[in-house]
């Protein structure tokens, strides 16, 4: 039996893209990330300078062959594959100070692209957005990777989506990106040499609002994208023999009851048809 459905991972990516379109500053950050990727991707010299800055910052003595394992290279981010932006965000999050130092070198040489990039990146708003994405994107990627496995049970799809929605709510409720950034900007901590000052009350208010709005947009778009398909896909768990209750169980006689499941199978003139809400069907 073959079931034809829209790609769940693609649907998740579309939901993330829609959320970005609703939050103007996240959209701005996305454009900066793309320009930043191009700045390094198009020049081996710039990439080498960034690599050197990362190694110097970490005070590591490593071989040439080990550099690729230590340096988080800036990878290309595109809107069509927003979840792949996690690699770029991860690199900026871990190596923000070396990144600033590298851009400063080219800014001192009057490189117009570097001057523009460092102006936009060296701000608490941008770093706050990076910390937010660093917290949120792994949650979304976890769901995406779960749906790319070779085997997946229909029974786990709805709980998996519900789980990440709760995880997103937790990020907004705890304001974990703000707490992490506040800690890293303290004296002698990770971002102490970035040139950024500690967060003001105004800075914290902006980051709280950004976190709440972005998480809310993600939550609503993901819920909207999956709300129609989840009941139908989840109903297919009735075909899982492991899920069938024992014959002695009270619910055995009602298991798979067509009146209680959102999808039902009917036979008409030798044609098998899976019907769901609003009589939309998938041929089997």
């Amino acid at each position: 039996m073959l079931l034809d459905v829209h790609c769940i991972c693609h649907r998740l990516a579309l939901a993330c893209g829609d959320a970005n379109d609703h939050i103007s500053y996240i959209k701005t950050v996305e454009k900066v990330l793309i320009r930043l990727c191009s700045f390094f991707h198009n020049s081996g010299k710039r990439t080498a300078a960034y690599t050197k800055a990362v190694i110097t910052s970490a005070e590591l003595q490593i071989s040439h062959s080990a550099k690729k394992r230590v340096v988080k290279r800036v990878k290309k981010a595109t809107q069509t594959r927003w979840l792949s932006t996690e690699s770029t965000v991860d690199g900026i999050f871990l190596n923000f100070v070396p990144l600033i130092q590298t851009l400063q070198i080219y800014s001192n040489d009057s490189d117009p692209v570097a001057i523009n990039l460092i102006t936009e990146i060296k701000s608490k708003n941008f770093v706050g957005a990076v910390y937010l994405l660093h917290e949120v994107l792994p949650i979304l990627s976890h769901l995406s990777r779960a749906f790319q496995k070779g085997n997946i049970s229909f029974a786990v799809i709805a709980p998996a989506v519900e789980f990440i929605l709760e995880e997103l709510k937790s990020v907004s409720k705890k304001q974990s990106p703000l707490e992490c950034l506040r800690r890293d900007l303290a004296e002698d901590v990770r971002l102490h040499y970035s040139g950024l000052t500690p967060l003001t009350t105004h800075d914290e208010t902006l980051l709280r609002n950004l976190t709440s709005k972005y998480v809310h947009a993600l939550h609503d778009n993901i819920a909207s994208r999956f709300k129609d398909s989840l009941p139908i896909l989840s109903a297919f768990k009735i075909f899982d023999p492991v899920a069938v209750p024992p014959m002695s169980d009270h619910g055995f006689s009602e298991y798979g009851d067509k009146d209680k499941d959102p999808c039902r199978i009917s036979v008409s003139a030798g044609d098998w048809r899976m019907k769901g809400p609003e009589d939309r069907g998938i041929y089997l």
Side-chain angles (χ1 to χ4, degrees), residues 90-104:
D90 190 40
I92 296 174
F93 177 84
L94 293 175
N95 301 310
F96 182 73
V97 173
L99 178 61
I100 289 295
Q101 292 171 343
T102 305
L103 290 174
Q104 189 63 61

Side-chain angles (χ1 to χ4, degrees), residues 80-81 84 86 96 120 136 142 148-149 249 277-278 284:
T80 54
R81 294 187 58 84
S84 67
E86 182 183 357
F96 182 73
E120 297 195 65
V136 167
H142 174 76
Q148 294 180 48
K149 294 181 179 179
D249 193 289
E278 302 175 1
L284 305 178

